[in-house]
Amino acid sequence: MRAIHLNRKQKILRNLLVCGLLGLVVYILLGFPPYTVRGMLARIERDYLLPDLEPILVDRTEFRYSTGFWNETEYNTYLLARAGDDTYLCTMYSRRFLKVRAEYRRNLKMGKGALCTARDGTLYVAGHFGDVASATAEVTAQKTTRYYTQSTDTYEVVRGESRTFTLQGEKAGEEVFAFQYREEGHGWWRDIPESEYDLEDAAREWYNVYVRELVDETDDGSRGVLHADLPVHVTLYGEDGRVLDTLDLTVDNYELFFRY
């Protein structure tokens, strides 16, 4: 049987087809990852059986780190979106090379009528704000310690001082208010008295969990950070300063201090 000889154009076409097939195989092996905002929203629509999603805030960040051999970059896409008339949600997608991970470091959060979430020093409140000119948010933190006793498999919760932090909002879109709460120069960890704590400090330091058998007065190595929902009272104002509405929402303390 005589071999088929291809001319130059035919060889180029063959190579392109092979590359296309290989690219499709890689795309399938990666799990059909969405690389665009529209693709990410379409994935959420399918996974959660939601109607058409409309993005109301998109924020992209880059995180560079070293593995010891070379430097890598992680690309994060933070999304706030509306489903239908009154359902809001937020989530995050992370991409490293060609791999895209949905809900990486942040589970999807959803709210009816309004939604409160926080990321990297900013508190976001989403809702219907057509006639709203300004807004304030009052976030209350309370010292909360949960002790777990292994021998009896029981928990005890001890509550203490509470403090309310008032934040001024700015419109970040037709349906989003942003409230900055991180002080300038705020570091990951800083040694300051409790009287000088800001909201981020309180969210991290005032919520604790201990195993009683491991507690040592001179060593807090058994400490864990307790997950807690902090109440958020939002007041919405019109152009004339008149109160139009109030919202009572919550935000997870991890969202307030965990940087991602």
Side-chain angles (χ1 to χ4, degrees):
M1 184 176 179
R2 206 169 78 178
I4 299 175
H5 294 284
L6 303 177
N7 58 34
R8 186 168 178 271
K9 289 184 178 180
Q10 290 171 327
K11 289 179 180 179
I12 292 174
L13 180 61
R14 178 200 60 190
N15 292 340
L16 289 174
L17 288 173
V18 171
C19 289
L21 289 173
L22 289 175
L24 179 61
V25 170
V26 170
Y27 189 70
I28 293 172
L29 291 176
L30 289 173
F32 298 98
Y35 295 115
T36 65
V37 169
R38 185 62 259 169
M40 295 171 188
L41 294 177
R43 172 72 64 85
I44 297 171
E45 291 168 1
R46 292 195 301 271
D47 290 348
Y48 292 90
L49 301 178
L50 293 170
D52 293 340
L53 292 174
E54 290 294 332
I56 58 176
L57 182 70
V58 178
D59 187 19
R60 294 182 175 88
T61 60
E62 297 180 9
F63 176 65
R64 292 183 173 85
Y65 61 95
S66 175
T67 61
F69 297 97
W70 58 78
N71 294 326
E72 293 187 13
T73 302
E74 182 178 277
Y75 300 91
N76 296 317
T77 301
Y78 173 81
L79 296 171
L80 268 172
R82 173 172 45 80
D85 293 330
D86 62 351
T87 300
Y88 294 89
L89 61 87
C90 69
T91 189
M92 174 182 279
Y93 279 78
S94 177
R95 178 174 65 84
R96 187 181 304 170
F97 297 110
L98 296 177
K99 182 66 175 178
V100 176
R101 289 176 286 186
E103 299 181 32
Y104 179 60
R105 298 180 182 171
R106 174 184 288 271
N107 293 330
L108 185 137
K109 186 175 182 179
M110 195 178 306
K112 198 79 168 176
L115 176 72
C116 181
T117 184
R119 190 185 73 85
D120 199 22
T122 303
L123 183 80
Y124 295 100
V125 175
H128 294 286
F129 302 134
D131 297 326
V132 179
S134 62
T136 59
E138 295 176 308
V139 187
T140 301
Q142 183 176 28
K143 286 184 179 180
T144 305
T145 302
R146 187 178 70 183
Y147 294 96
Y148 172 62
T149 303
Q150 291 178 316
S151 58
T152 59
D153 191 28
T154 57
Y155 293 91
E156 178 188 2
V157 177
V158 178
R159 303 187 191 277
E161 173 190 350
S162 64
R163 190 179 302 170
T164 298
F165 301 86
T166 301
L167 311 173
Q168 185 64 47
E170 294 183 0
K171 269 200 169 182
E174 289 299 318
E175 298 177 84
V176 184
F177 268 96
F179 303 82
Q180 301 293 328
Y181 61 84
R182 178 173 296 154
E183 295 183 354
E184 186 176 354
H186 194 294
W188 272 95
W189 304 100
R190 54 181 185 168
D191 187 15
I192 61 173
E194 287 190 2
S195 60
E196 298 179 16
Y197 277 7
D198 61 11
L199 177 58
E200 189 169 4
D201 295 320
R204 182 183 63 243
E205 299 296 335
W206 278 9
Y207 294 87
N208 306 291
V209 58
Y210 293 96
V211 177
R212 278 207 181 275
E213 286 86 348
L214 301 179
V215 171
D216 188 320
E217 292 182 358
T218 62
D219 181 16
D220 66 351
S222 64
R223 175 185 183 258
V225 180
L226 181 69
H227 270 284
D229 288 328
L230 278 63
V232 180
H233 182 74
V234 181
T235 305
L236 307 174
Y237 301 91
E239 289 284 357
D240 57 0
R242 181 171 52 89
V243 175
L244 298 179
D245 199 1
T246 59
L247 304 171
D248 287 305
L249 307 167
T250 60
V251 63
D252 190 307
N253 63 316
Y254 267 68
E255 295 180 56
L256 291 168
F257 75 83
F258 195 71
R259 301 191 179 191
Y260 45 82

